[in-house]
Amino acid sequence: RKENAKMQLKRNIGYFEGVSFIIGSIVGAGIFVSPTGVLKHSLLNVGVALTIWTASGLVSLMGSLCYAELGTALPFSGGEYSHIKRGLGSLPAFVFIWTSTFTKPASNAARALLFAEYATQPFYGICPAPEVLKKCLALAVLWSLGILNGRSVKMAAWVQTVFTLLKMMALSVIAVGGIVLIGGRKESLARFEDAFSSEIPNASQIAEAFFQGLYAYGGWWSLNYMAEEMKNPSRNIPLTVMTAVPAVIVFYLLVNISYLSVLTPKEIVSSVAVAVTWADRVIPSVAWIIPVSVAVSIFGALNSSMFTLGRLSYAGSQSGHLPVLISMLNVHSCTPAPAMIFSTTIASIFIIPSDLIMLTNYFGFSAWLMIGLTCASLIVLRYREPHLHRPYKVFLPVPFVMVAMSFFLVLAPIVWSPNLQYVYAFLFMLGSLVVYLPFIHLKLHFAFLDKITCHLQLLLEVCPADESAESKCE
């Protein structure tokens, strides 16, 4: 089959690197900065907040097991995009890549700016760091990681592993510190003995808290983007998911228990960055470790996100949904270098007028819409292609629960707090039809674009994945 003939990315990613990528994608700034949201919407009820952290983790685990089935049955670059295209057809897949080409680089830009914020703050004390400096640092970090990912998969995987280990060490410091303190303080223990004693939130508040929890687990879907580069994907994808996601759930619960053993629920809700407040209270002499850890954590999550975004652009171009140049591989390193340049350039555009990033907050619903469509693809493929080789099969009710959950999470914010920005986001998604009909469906083509592609191909030293790169990529 032609699809298989094009599979020439090197299989450089093993089990350990896969675990690093998933943990690195999930653990960003969220757990250090924003457990306040879950506690606030739980009406400071400690028991409800910890239950929501657990439930959010279990939903993420259910989703990642659905993705594990798709990733082992169809181990192609492009993650959700490849699965939606196979299960639901070309148009929904194009809407996905159209939306992702806008939202994912914007979230990378937001991460780069947040990294710059934490990295520069220690040098400026209580004064705010200059905006120009933060933007220059954010651009420098984006392009450094873009070039690294465009040059070498092994190097990018190594950086990911190192930064994941560093952030897990930082979380371990908080987790262990909290456990030690609980043993020695009666008031800390009392907080957990009467965990459910305060007011119980209503359904809409629980849903809001759930949103906050799920946001902190975002990134569990990242492994499927590198399925084509996994060693032994049929074994390693399910194994990696079943290691990484439960590990994150355990760490998140321990870290939240640690915060609650040191700070009262009211102190947590009023804190801008909970981990920093915790460090000031517990390890004041080395409290600077925590802002550094947040910066390290964001850096690792940004590396992982840029890696996966490059694979998405690469897969979209292979299917003819993006310019052909983006699906070419570098003849020396066999990496999708043009795809990395493309996604890094878009992210850079978002950094310059950073108000644009505010718009992407309203695209949160689109992420869950795409997760719902991916799980729906799994159900469709089970019935339409029953003989497809599936090395791992998820329990069938799980994708049905995920589809229902996804559509609830899409509709809930729009129903509870209707906002004109949601209309703009929806219109943007519909705008994909304006491009799809002439250029994809009717295959409209301009000859001068071929000349530009040819010149860029020579400049970047890239060639299509199914041509002479084959001998060098093996």
Side-chain angles (χ1 to χ4, degrees):
R1 263 183 35 236
K2 196 180 174 193
E3 265 177 286
N4 287 337
K6 289 185 179 180
M7 302 300 160
Q8 282 145 28
L9 289 166
K10 285 182 177 179
R11 292 199 180 276
N12 280 328
I13 297 170
Y15 165 75
F16 191 65
E17 291 90 349
V19 170
S20 296
F21 266 108
I22 298 188
I23 293 178
S25 300
I26 299 175
V27 183
I31 190 63
F32 293 102
V33 180
S34 57
T36 51
V38 175
L39 201 55
K40 182 179 163 193
H41 293 296
S42 305
L43 303 181
L44 309 187
N45 187 315
V46 171
V48 171
L50 291 175
T51 306
I52 282 168
W53 276 107
T54 311
S56 303
L58 292 174
V59 167
S60 305
L61 182 60
M62 281 162 51
S64 48
L65 291 176
C66 292
Y67 276 45
E69 175 176 324
L70 289 164
T72 52
L74 307 164
F76 310 138
S77 280
E80 295 119 315
Y81 167 78
S82 302
H83 309 321
I84 291 171
K85 188 167 184 289
R86 178 74 166 254
L88 304 179
S90 183
L91 181 57
F94 185 75
V95 173
F96 174 81
I97 205 157
W98 170 266
T99 310
S100 300
T101 302
F102 169 75
T103 54
K104 290 182 188 286
S107 72
N108 283 351
R111 278 197 182 107
L113 285 166
L114 195 58
F115 169 81
E117 178 84 44
Y118 275 92
T120 53
Q121 206 51 58
F123 300 100
Y124 284 86
I126 54 167
C127 305
E131 281 299 310
V132 175
L133 174 70
K134 286 192 284 193
K135 287 187 178 183
C136 289
L137 182 58
L139 282 168
V141 165
L142 265 183
W143 279 99
S144 302
L145 287 175
I147 291 164
L148 174 78
N149 280 284
R151 297 269 311 167
S152 166
V153 173
K154 280 184 177 171
M155 199 63 194
W158 181 82
V159 166
Q160 191 60 38
T161 303
V162 169
F163 277 84
T164 299
L165 287 171
L166 288 172
K167 70 174 82 173
M168 295 319 278
M169 280 162 61
L171 286 180
S172 301
V173 167
I174 298 174
V176 172
I179 291 163
V180 169
L181 284 162
I182 284 181
R185 293 168 64 175
K186 283 184 181 174
E187 67 269 25
S188 299
L189 211 53
R191 221 166 277 156
F192 297 102
E193 284 168 356
D194 307 322
F196 290 93
S197 59
S198 59
E199 192 184 344
I200 301 288
N202 62 31
S204 77
Q205 287 164 327
I206 284 176
E208 286 282 357
F210 209 48
F211 261 110
Q212 300 283 333
L214 287 168
Y215 176 76
Y217 282 102
W220 52 261
W221 49 78
S222 60
L223 192 71
N224 280 22
Y225 284 95
M226 53 198 85
E228 203 172 309
E229 292 159 88
M230 286 288 285
K231 296 171 185 169
N232 192 0
S234 56
R235 175 185 170 273
N236 280 338
I237 289 178
L239 205 58
T240 308
V241 160
M242 288 171 195
T243 308
V245 180
V248 172
I249 297 172
V250 170
F251 264 99
Y252 275 15
L253 284 172
L254 288 174
V255 168
N256 273 289
I257 289 166
S258 178
Y259 291 154
L260 286 159
S261 68
V262 175
L263 308 165
T264 64
K266 280 184 181 170
E267 285 174 327
I268 291 174
V269 168
S270 60
S271 168
V272 180
V274 196
V276 177
T277 313
W278 181 93
D280 288 337
R281 193 75 56 88
V282 179
I283 42 171
S285 57
V286 283
W288 55 268
I289 284 176
I290 296 298
V292 170
S293 300
V294 177
V296 161
S297 189
I298 297 165
F299 187 87
L302 180 60
N303 181 53
S304 173
S305 179
M306 291 188 72
F307 184 98
T308 55
L309 183 55
R311 272 52 189 177
L312 174 62
S313 307
Y314 169 79
S317 173
Q318 274 198 323
S319 299
H321 285 176
L322 286 174
V324 70
L325 181 75
I326 295 170
S327 67
M328 294 188 188
L329 297 177
N330 183 281
V331 293
H332 304 297
S333 60
C334 297
T335 51
M340 291 309 309
I341 293 168
F342 173 71
S343 51
T344 310
T345 304
I346 296 174
S348 305
I349 293 165
F350 276 101
I351 280 181
I352 299 156
S354 41
D355 341 334
L356 275 175
I357 293 169
M358 294 302 291
L359 277 174
T360 60
N361 295 345
Y362 295 98
F363 274 89
F365 79 92
S366 72
W368 279 99
L369 178 62
M370 297 313 166
I371 291 166
L373 289 175
T374 308
C375 294
S377 304
L378 186 152
I379 297 164
V380 168
L381 287 169
R382 277 278 187 103
Y383 290 104
R384 200 176 65 206
E385 297 187 36
H387 303 300
L388 180 69
H389 176 58
R390 294 176 172 86
Y392 168 79
K393 283 176 89 166
V394 71
F395 182 49
L396 195 56
V398 171
F400 280 102
V401 170
M402 283 303 294
V403 170
M405 190 89 202
S406 301
F407 288 110
F408 166 74
L409 290 166
V410 167
L411 294 172
I414 298 170
V415 172
W416 283 326
S417 53
N419 196 308
L420 197 58
Q421 269 84 347
Y422 289 125
V423 178
Y424 294 147
F426 190 66
L427 287 174
F428 177 82
M429 290 169 80
L430 283 180
S432 60
L433 294 173
V434 177
V435 178
Y436 183 83
L437 289 170
F439 294 106
I440 313 297
H441 187 66
L442 300 172
K443 294 185 168 57
L444 186 64
H445 186 72
F446 298 111
F448 74 90
L449 289 175
D450 292 338
K451 288 183 180 174
I452 295 172
T453 301
C454 198
H455 286 301
L456 287 171
Q457 204 178 330
L458 289 166
L459 178 70
L460 297 170
E461 297 186 309
V462 292
C463 68
D466 57 338
E467 281 182 19
S468 58
E470 185 164 9
S471 56
K472 295 182 182 179
C473 287
E474 287 304 320

